[in-house]
Amino acid sequence: MITVVGIGADGMPGLSRNSQDELTRATVVYGSPRQLELLDDSVTPNRREWPSPMLPALPALFDEADGDVHVVASGDPLLHGIGATLIRLFGARRVRVLPHVSSVTLACARMGWTVPDTEVISLVTAPPHTAVRRGGRAIVLSRDAHTPATLARLLNESGRGATELSVLEQLGGPGERRVDGTARDWTTAPPVGIDDLNVIAVAYLPDERRAHALPDDVFAHDGQLTKQSIRAVTLAALGPRPGELLWDVGSGSGSIAIEWSRSAAGCVAVAFERDEQRRDRILSNVTAFGVRVDVRGGAPESLDGAPDPDVIFIGGGVTQPGLLQACFDRLPRGGRLLVNAVTLESEAVVAQWYSKEGGEVRRYQHYQGGAIGGFTGWRPALPVTQWAVTKR
């Protein structure tokens, strides 16, 4: 049995009697140096620091251990912690978790925020831009003392300089401290003396949250963009499900990949784009929306080495020889593929594949009202032919 005991910055005095008893009877305790230092003399001297790198070593580390093994972890080990990792590796029956009050709960208590209405974002291993939002509030788990200033700079660069940040250090311990500021102020004068053990309470301002089918003008683009109305029906046809990975082929501005990654928990995307300037523009949009999109070169040559997709969207380049075949070959059975075609040549490719693989074909055209002299008339956009198929 692996017993994981959560501990706070207040150390042993803050533990429940049950958690104290578990650690006192332990024969070996694993943890980080900081967590092990929180233990007192009642806990075994056989304290072992995690090996580095830790994750690859875990299976052999615990399989070789005799009897029960104890692990000490920060706060709630199931909240972006080692507890979830151990359960994933060894199963829930072999792992027992004794949680402490999490840093998220403590931070919300200090801010007067309700936990269910507050997003939790971990930057312990994720890139800093994934904590950029366009509204709402979040508790951000920092990687180190530099995380608050880095996040402030990214927020300011994405037009969210008014965002309010509170760095909360050593929560629940004798060295607890709070530092308040705004992203704009911290970009030029970041807080000093920040402790590595900190979380950031973020109130994102201005609050401009929208769900899906975002306006075209919120994306940086050169005109190569799936327009808002077509993007809406395209996302509906793609049908994002939590945790799925999308290939956005011929990504242009990255709008489909970004909307996909915002749509459900754990959704991520790989954007393939041949043009270097457009790749830079996709990266800029990805940073501004705080999503996880891996930006690569053009398809089909850049498909090798990319993680296997659950869903593929082809918005450009479908007439390129071998592209559709290469994409279809990488799609798993039951995976979904969607193509938007706007030219006669691309429609011909779609028609050929539709006759061979089946699926559904649709055509969309929308009109925009515009001035004609002193009157208003309809200006048609290019029609879009859409082919959707599930691989058998």
Side-chain angles (χ1 to χ4, degrees):
M1 176 66 72
I2 302 169
T3 300
V4 187
V5 178
I7 192 169
D10 50 355
M12 295 287 289
L15 294 180
S16 69
R17 173 54 59 186
N18 192 21
S19 293
Q20 290 184 23
D21 290 344
E22 278 293 337
L23 290 174
T24 301
R25 74 178 186 84
T27 56
V28 58
V29 179
Y30 287 92
S32 71
R34 182 181 59 79
Q35 292 153 359
L36 293 175
E37 288 174 2
L38 293 170
L39 305 179
D40 62 20
D41 293 339
S42 67
V43 181
T44 173
N46 190 6
R47 305 175 187 181
R48 301 180 186 178
E49 296 181 9
W50 292 121
S52 181
M54 180 178 69
L55 289 179
L58 286 179
L61 193 70
F62 290 109
D63 281 342
E64 295 172 358
D66 295 326
D68 291 349
V69 175
H70 287 74
V71 171
V72 63
S74 294
D76 184 349
L78 294 177
L79 185 64
H80 296 282
I82 188 64
T85 302
L86 294 174
I87 289 173
R88 186 174 66 250
L89 288 174
F90 301 104
R93 292 186 177 181
R94 192 177 169 190
V95 180
R96 179 186 179 211
V97 178
L98 301 177
H100 191 65
V101 178
S102 73
S103 59
V104 171
T105 298
L106 289 173
C108 285
R110 302 298 188 265
M111 300 299 298
W113 295 353
T114 54
V115 176
D117 299 319
T118 304
E119 186 179 3
V120 180
I121 306 170
S122 175
L123 296 185
V124 176
T125 57
H129 83 268
T130 57
V132 173
R133 297 289 184 272
R134 305 182 80 82
R137 64 194 189 196
I139 300 299
V140 178
L141 310 181
S142 291
R143 181 173 186 174
D144 53 34
H146 304 290
T147 304
T150 301
L151 178 57
R153 176 180 55 80
L154 290 170
L155 287 165
N156 192 57
E157 290 174 353
S158 65
R160 321 228 81 69
T163 292
E164 298 170 350
L165 303 101
S166 297
V167 179
L168 304 165
E169 305 172 355
Q170 295 282 341
L171 277 166
E176 181 173 325
R177 185 174 75 122
R178 172 173 172 171
V179 181
D180 298 313
T182 66
R184 185 178 296 111
D185 292 341
W186 284 3
T187 299
T188 55
V192 296
I194 297 298
D195 191 87
D196 279 331
L197 184 60
N198 75 83
V199 301
I200 316 166
V202 188
Y204 296 95
L205 298 171
D207 194 335
E208 298 171 340
R209 282 174 289 178
R210 285 189 62 159
H212 307 300
L214 299 168
D216 295 340
D217 60 9
V218 302
F219 297 100
H221 65 91
D222 60 359
Q224 197 69 15
L225 171 81
T226 303
K227 301 300 189 293
Q228 182 185 34
S229 55
I230 298 301
R231 200 178 332 119
V233 295
T234 298
L235 264 294
L238 288 170
R241 299 169 186 167
E244 287 190 322
L245 186 145
L246 171 78
W247 279 6
D248 181 6
V249 179
S251 189
S253 66
S255 62
I256 292 293
I258 289 168
E259 295 255 32
W260 170 277
S261 299
R262 298 175 68 247
S263 62
C267 279
V268 293
V270 181
F272 298 93
E273 174 53 53
R274 189 170 304 281
D275 185 274
E276 183 177 359
Q277 287 187 326
R278 287 176 180 164
R279 288 199 299 272
D280 290 341
R281 199 172 285 117
I282 294 170
L283 286 170
S284 175
N285 285 328
V286 165
T287 299
F289 282 95
V291 292
R292 299 193 183 195
V293 177
D294 178 9
V295 182
R296 302 191 176 215
E301 58 270 21
S302 296
L303 300 182
D304 290 342
D308 289 333
D310 299 294
V311 185
I312 298 176
F313 170 67
I314 303 177
V318 71
T319 58
Q320 185 174 344
L323 183 142
L324 187 47
Q325 184 67 61
C327 289
F328 199 78
D329 288 345
R330 288 291 300 274
L331 193 68
R333 182 171 298 181
R336 311 185 299 282
L337 183 142
L338 187 75
V339 180
N340 281 358
V342 295
T343 67
L344 187 62
E345 290 79 8
S346 58
E347 284 187 351
V349 174
V350 164
Q352 182 181 15
W353 276 81
Y354 170 64
S355 65
K356 181 176 65 171
E357 299 293 341
E360 296 183 23
V361 287
R362 314 175 185 93
R363 171 170 282 192
Y364 299 101
Q365 183 166 23
H366 67 279
Y367 295 78
Q368 183 73 39
I372 301 180
F375 298 92
T376 301
W378 295 107
R379 300 186 185 278
L382 288 173
V384 175
T385 298
Q386 189 178 89
W387 174 50
V389 66
T390 299
K391 189 172 180 180
R392 299 189 293 270

